Amino acid sequence: MTETATFTADTVTGSATGSKSEQAYQAIKARIVEGTYTPGYRLVLAAIAKDLGFSVVPVREAIRRLEAEGLVKFERNVGATVAGIDPTEYLYTMQTLSIVEGAATALSAPLIGEADVARARAVNAEMRECLQHFDPVRFTRLNQDFHSVLFEHCPNPHILDLVHRGWNRLASLRSSTFRFVPGRARESVEEHEALLQLIESGAGADTIEKAARLHRSATLDAYLAQTTLKDPNP
């Protein structure tokens, strides 16, 4: 069953800046990433435009942009809805992300300074605290913040683009991934510290790439262990 999206006046933050299309994009994307709009949620252009005080044109542009990122899909006789990720798509996306994010982290490592490491370690400390009263949505948000520090200096824009596309594709499901595998969260925090130590020690690119890749694939393995999904290409 689908639902209809509605907005309030405070949905868009910083509404005084950016084009109307950008404002609509940020507002809708935020609700999807946060899990407010779950897979199948119906996005009615006219209703969104009315609530935002815009015409339909910038809202349509925002929806098309979200469709290109894989967060929205169009269904015949239904219209725009929030896209979900089926188990097989999750498998393929996580496998791909483990490769490209590992490469991005390895390429970024020589450019990561002390301030970056300190920032990443501070985020990881917040993740550790989050384990006490586990909030999977907040933990996942912090997890993305942590990894962003490690791959954001990647000098290869094509690899970096693939990483961002992977995160966007997983956005709607990642809000609850750790809800399925809460035990994986504690392991993830420890692996983060190990990654930071490798970067601080000036470890080789191959070593960092492998550690980052195995860190990502370990989350996939934990998730698959909780499902009946089998690799279609064993």
Side-chain angles (χ1 to χ4, degrees), residues 34 46 71 75 86 96 105-107 109 117 119 139 154 162 199 201 211 228-229 231:
E34 292 167 2
L71 294 179
E75 297 182 33
D86 63 36
T96 302
T105 301
L107 290 171
V117 171
R119 181 157 56 100
F139 187 89
C154 177
L162 290 173
I199 292 171
S201 68
T228 57
L229 176 66
D231 189 334

Side-chain angles (χ1 to χ4, degrees), residues 175-207:
S175 65
S176 58
T177 299
F178 284 104
R179 196 187 312 277
F180 300 135
V181 287
R184 174 64 192 145
R186 188 172 299 278
E187 296 173 355
S188 183
V189 170
E190 299 307 322
E191 290 167 12
H192 285 175
E193 177 57 30
L195 267 172
L196 290 176
Q197 290 179 13
L198 285 175
I199 292 171
E200 284 181 309
S201 68
D206 288 346
T207 299

Side-chain angles (χ1 to χ4, degrees), residues 87-96 220 224 229-232:
T88 301
E89 180 67 13
Y90 179 77
L91 168 64
Y92 293 154
T93 302
M94 283 291 279
Q95 286 176 336
T96 302
L220 172 61
L224 295 181
L229 176 66
K230 303 298 183 180
D231 189 334

Side-chain angles (χ1 to χ4, degrees), residues 164-182:
H164 287 304
R165 285 176 180 273
W167 278 90
N168 285 332
R169 191 174 295 113
L170 291 171
S172 61
L173 182 57
R174 288 191 61 83
S175 65
S176 58
T177 299
F178 284 104
R179 196 187 312 277
F180 300 135
V181 287

